[in-house]
């Protein structure tokens, strides 16, 4: 076989073509060493394992995890031969591995994002009280997702659930969840977004400590509730969400009222209202009875007063009655004149008789 002569640039290009063909994308795990950022744009570090070392390069804007020397990480990268003849990995994504590294990444990013106000309680929104459409981001095969749907239906039912199936662990999970959030915000009419993932190890839940994912959650126009891991687990996604539920099941409970409890409350309120109405009717009846009694007494009092007044009037009228005067021995002189002369005929009425008499004698009483 004839030997082929390459220029240096040609050789590098052929090597990179071979690497691209053989290793279009690889995941490498190791310990970070010599980490540094140049010009605020480029990230350089080494990945070590024992005596073995490989150089790594990436764009700073793609670094969504906080890494430092000594941390164990997993990178998705493409192997390259640089024009300076140095072999390195061009890294596209980084994720801490191991409880210690994951915890350190979480603490560093939490401090950074807290300082920016990303987790400020004042920016969090309450979930709508009444909603009919909910968007769910989860692995549809996960037990947590199945429990969420079951509890959602048992407690209330009638909700329209739109689900986007994503990975919920591993290097691909953050990007898939981010795209799902963006889809719900831009192309759907859901009123709430729920991000769900059941329990797991720190490595399993590491995807939810991705910086870009936290920023996407915080910037969502639609309120987001998270139900990730167990109650003791805390992630950047939880801190950025409007509401954090302790588990997927708890998220379903937080989103929906219990219709059995609501039914009981309604019945109890109706019963209380019935008792209140009956009591008010009784009070009104008592008040009306008292009012009627008072009116009756007032009417009787007025009748008594009128009766007494009438009796007094009757007494006065009786005393002025001519018959009463006649009864006392007086007589009534019926005449048009008050001056009489001897021989005049006069009619006189007594109590028991009517008399016609002639005047025999006249004597004046007054001069």
């Amino acid at each position: 076989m004839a030997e082929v002569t390459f220029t240096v640039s040609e050789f590098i290009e052929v090597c990179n073509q071979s690497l691209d063909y053989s290793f279009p994308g690889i995941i490498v795990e190791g310990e970070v060493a010599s980490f540094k950022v140049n010009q605020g744009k480029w990230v350089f570090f080494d990945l070590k394992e024992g005596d073995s070392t490989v150089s790594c390069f990436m764009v700073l804007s793609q670094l969504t995890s906080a890494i430092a020397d000594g941390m164990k990480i997993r990178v998705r990268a493409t192997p390259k031969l640089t024009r300076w003849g140095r072999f390195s990995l061009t890294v596209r994504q980084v994720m801490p591995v191991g409880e210690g590294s994951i915890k350190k990444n979480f603490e560093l990013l939490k401090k950074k994002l807290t300082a920016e106000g990303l987790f400020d309680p004042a920016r969090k929104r309450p979930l709508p009280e009444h909603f009919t459409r909910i968007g769910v981001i989860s692995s549809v095969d996960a037990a947590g997702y199945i429990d969420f749907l079951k509890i959602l239906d048992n407690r209330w039912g009638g909700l329209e659930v739109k689900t986007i199936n994503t990975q919920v662990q591993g290097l691909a999970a953050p990007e898939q969840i981010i795209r799902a959030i963006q889809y719900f915000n831009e192309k759907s009419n859901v009123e709430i977004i729920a991000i769900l993932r059941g329990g797991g190890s720190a490595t399993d839940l590491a995807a939810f400590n991705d910086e870009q994912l936290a920023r996407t959650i915080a910037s969502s126009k639609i309120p987001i509730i998270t139900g990730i891991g167990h109650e003791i687990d805390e992630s950047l996604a939880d801190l950025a969400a409007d509401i954090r539920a302790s588990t997927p099941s708890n998220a379903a409970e937080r989103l929906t009222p219990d219709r059995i409890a609501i039914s009981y409350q309604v019945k109890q309120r109706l019963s209380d209202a019935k008792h209140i109405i009956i009591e008010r009717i009784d009070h009104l009846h008592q008040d009306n009875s008292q009012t009627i009694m008072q009116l009756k007494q007032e009417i009787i009092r007025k009748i008594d007063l009128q009766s007494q007044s009438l009796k007094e009037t009757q007494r006065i009228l009786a005393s002025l009655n001519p018959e009463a005067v006649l009864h006392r021995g007086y007589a009534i002189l019926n005449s048009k004149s008050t001056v009489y002369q001897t021989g005049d005929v006069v009619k006189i009425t007594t109590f028991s008789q009517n008399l016609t008499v002639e005047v025999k004698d006249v004597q004046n009483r007054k001069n």
Side-chain angles (χ1 to χ4, degrees), residues 105-124:
N105 167 68
F106 171 78
E107 291 173 347
L108 291 172
L109 283 180
K110 180 180 179 181
K111 182 178 179 180
K112 174 185 176 182
L113 298 180
T114 299
E116 294 181 21
L118 200 73
F119 306 142
D120 190 347
R123 56 155 292 277
K124 297 180 184 295

Side-chain angles (χ1 to χ4, degrees), residues 259-322:
R259 58 183 159 195
I260 296 176
I262 293 294
S263 176
Y264 174 80
Q265 291 174 4
V266 170
K267 290 179 181 178
Q268 188 63 43
R269 288 177 181 176
L270 288 174
S271 177
D272 293 343
K274 176 182 177 182
H275 291 147
I276 291 172
I277 291 171
I278 292 174
E279 288 178 0
R280 289 182 177 177
I281 291 175
D282 289 342
H283 288 322
L284 289 172
H285 180 72
Q286 292 175 5
D287 292 343
N288 289 338
S289 298
Q290 292 177 356
T291 301
I292 292 171
M293 181 62 68
Q294 291 172 355
L295 290 173
K296 180 179 178 181
Q297 292 173 349
E298 182 65 17
I299 291 171
I300 292 173
R301 186 183 70 80
K302 289 185 176 181
I303 290 174
D304 289 343
L305 290 175
Q306 293 295 328
S307 177
Q308 292 175 8
S309 177
L310 181 59
K311 288 180 180 179
E312 181 63 21
T313 301
Q314 288 176 337
R315 187 187 65 76
I316 294 172
L317 290 174
S319 67
L320 297 175
N321 190 344

Side-chain angles (χ1 to χ4, degrees), residues 15-34:
C15 287
N16 283 328
Q17 288 176 353
S18 299
L19 290 171
D20 288 341
Y21 178 80
S22 301
F23 306 101
I26 59 173
I27 296 175
V28 181
E29 187 176 299
E31 182 181 310
V32 177
S34 303

Side-chain angles (χ1 to χ4, degrees), residues 8 15 26 65 74 79 82 112 143 150 163 167-168 187 202 229 242 250 273 276 319 348 351:
V8 174
C15 287
I26 59 173
S65 296
R74 187 175 293 156
T82 71
K112 174 185 176 182
K150 182 178 179 181
T163 302
Q167 294 185 32
V168 289
K187 299 180 180 180
D242 294 289
N250 181 241
I276 291 172
S319 67
I348 298 173
F351 179 74

